[in-house]
Amino acid sequence: MNVKELPPEIRAEIDPELAKPTRVHPIARSQYANLWIKREDELSSGISGGKLRKYASLIPYLKRQQIDTVGMIGGPNSNNLVGLAQLLRENGISPLAFLREAADPQLRGNALLLALLLAPHETETISRRSWDNVEGLARQRLQNLEKQGSRAHLLLEGCYGFPALLGTLTLPEDILRNERDCQQTFPRIYIDCGTGLSAIGLILGLERLLGSDSSNREVVVTLIAETESGFLEKLAEMRACLEKAYPVTHDSRVNIRFLQPILSPKFGSISKALFDECRTIARETGLIMDPTYSVKHFAAAAADHNKDGQSAAPSLFVFNGSALGICGFQDKLANSVNLLESD
Ligand SMILES: *Cc1c(COP(=O)(O)O)cnc(C)c1O
């Protein structure tokens, strides 16, 4: 197999120290025949999975623009806010979080981590009533800071946007490296979707890297926090941005399919079955998965993959999350574990 890498003009936008290689391995349980895991959770100890790939192009972009203050938007349980707060701090950029008012008054999980990372003056709580207008409120606040001489930049929820897309193109590049290293091809790749940016980067990157071979690949997207039409709209938008910045000569397409979560399908919702599944996955595979994204993603993807039975072609499951994601649910998980103590 010949080596397929991103072109140097895209590479130049990405910090390779952040978008590091990660490994793949199969699940050692016969009921998951030929289901492999891409260990994006190992990119960082404190940042949820593939987020680091977005930051790998976003941070260099902010530094080039000499930004000193970054406005960021999200809910109290956002993995993105916790991850960004760490990297902005590391780079001497001041974070300013526009945080949706919490339904849960207790500081736990990501809300606790965020409170640990941000001083009170770096957080502005936006009431649920005003949340629809959060972008307007944030822009206004940043404009005021700019009048006082700051160079400020507002990031959308989940860092959705072109500067973060470029870093996500390193995921397909690294998957093709894994394929060369283990002499294995993955015709089907399962990925989860919040804003969809990581899945979009996977699709657009595969098309860039594989050209006309793209049609042999299928990307299956689990819609955790987005709709099919919303995803396709964003895919078209990012494709247009990428083609404008880095023109292509071929028109290649991967096949795309969508899955709805089976367990607690509504984004952010939880259930006993979800925590029981979290326990089952840990005991069967050794993977500690966050219930918000990865457990729902795994339940949907494994069921889809297993439909093909023991003769299934190798599929790759992108584990985008992190064990840190269980922090907010310790009491619920304790229940799931205790109930089965006798077996
Ligand atoms: C943020 C996050 C996602 C969503 O990534 P998008 O690029 O916004 O779709 C998926 N899984 C986990 C665990 C995440 O933390």
Side-chain angles (χ1 to χ4, degrees), residues 66-71 142-143 145-146 150-154:
Q66 297 179 309
I67 300 298
D68 56 39
T69 306
V70 164
L142 293 186
Q143 267 166 18
L145 288 176
E146 286 191 320
S150 281
R151 284 182 64 92
H153 184 87
L154 180 63

Side-chain angles (χ1 to χ4, degrees), residues 48 51 54 79 158 192-199 290 293-294 320-321:
S48 180
K51 297 272 184 310
K54 301 182 183 180
N79 290 333
D192 54 352
C193 163
T195 68
L197 199 67
S198 307
D290 55 283
Y293 284 94
S294 304
N320 241 338

Side-chain angles (χ1 to χ4, degrees), residues 262-275:
I262 308 163
L263 291 169
S264 307
K266 186 169 174 287
F267 180 58
S269 70
I270 54 173
S271 63
K272 180 175 177 306
L274 182 66
F275 297 114

Side-chain angles (χ1 to χ4, degrees), residues 88-335:
L88 291 174
R89 277 268 184 273
E90 178 184 321
N91 287 280
I93 301 172
S94 303
L96 180 54
F98 297 91
L99 195 63
R100 193 177 62 241
E101 187 185 4
D104 176 2
Q106 278 218 39
L107 273 187
R108 59 175 132 206
N110 279 344
L112 173 63
L113 295 173
L114 199 63
L116 190 66
L117 287 157
L118 300 184
H121 73 272
E122 293 171 320
T123 306
E124 196 163 306
T125 304
I126 310 291
S127 69
R128 294 175 160 256
R129 203 168 13 89
S130 308
W131 186 247
D132 282 347
N133 188 29
V134 62
E135 266 175 59
L137 294 168
R139 275 188 213 290
Q140 206 160 33
R141 174 82 190 270
L142 293 186
Q143 267 166 18
N144 288 340
L145 288 176
E146 286 191 320
K147 281 189 200 129
Q148 294 157 31
S150 281
R151 284 182 64 92
H153 184 87
L154 180 63
L155 294 173
L156 300 183
E157 228 175 328
C159 289
Y160 179 78
F162 189 60
L165 175 77
L166 291 175
T168 66
L169 300 174
T170 62
L171 170 62
E173 187 187 43
D174 200 47
I175 290 174
L176 297 183
R177 178 194 61 80
N178 293 135
E179 289 188 348
R180 288 192 302 276
D181 288 355
C182 32
Q183 308 204 329
Q184 175 84 264
T185 306
F186 301 107
R188 184 189 291 159
I189 303 171
Y190 292 99
I191 188 164
D192 54 352
C193 163
T195 68
L197 199 67
S198 307
I200 290 169
L202 173 62
I203 291 166
L204 296 179
L206 282 175
E207 290 172 351
R208 287 268 155 165
L209 293 159
L210 294 173
S212 59
D213 288 340
S214 303
S215 57
N216 301 328
R217 304 283 180 146
E218 179 179 50
V219 171
V220 182
V221 181
T222 307
L223 295 165
I224 304 289
E226 189 40 286
T227 60
E228 181 172 331
S229 60
F231 179 87
L232 290 173
E233 227 167 86
K234 287 172 169 171
L235 174 63
E237 182 190 13
M238 285 298 126
R239 191 194 297 279
C241 289
L242 189 64
E243 285 179 2
K244 184 152 176 271
Y246 306 98
V248 271
T249 48
H250 54 76
D251 184 24
S252 310
R253 293 285 194 268
V254 301
N255 304 296
I256 304 172
R257 192 153 57 85
F258 296 94
L259 295 178
Q260 295 291 343
I262 308 163
L263 291 169
S264 307
K266 186 169 174 287
F267 180 58
S269 70
I270 54 173
S271 63
K272 180 175 177 306
L274 182 66
F275 297 114
D276 288 353
E277 180 71 7
C278 187
R279 176 203 64 215
T280 304
I281 293 169
R283 291 188 183 170
E284 288 186 348
T285 70
L287 297 165
I288 298 178
M289 288 192 178
D290 55 283
T292 311
Y293 284 94
S294 304
V295 174
K296 293 182 184 185
H297 176 39
F298 187 81
D304 186 76
H305 171 80
N306 287 345
K307 274 190 216 150
D308 295 346
Q310 292 296 316
S311 59
S315 294
L316 187 64
F317 173 90
V318 180
F319 179 17
N320 241 338
S322 134
L324 213 56
I326 69 166
C327 290
F329 305 109
Q330 292 194 35
D331 44 353
K332 306 270 187 339
L333 280 165
N335 270 337

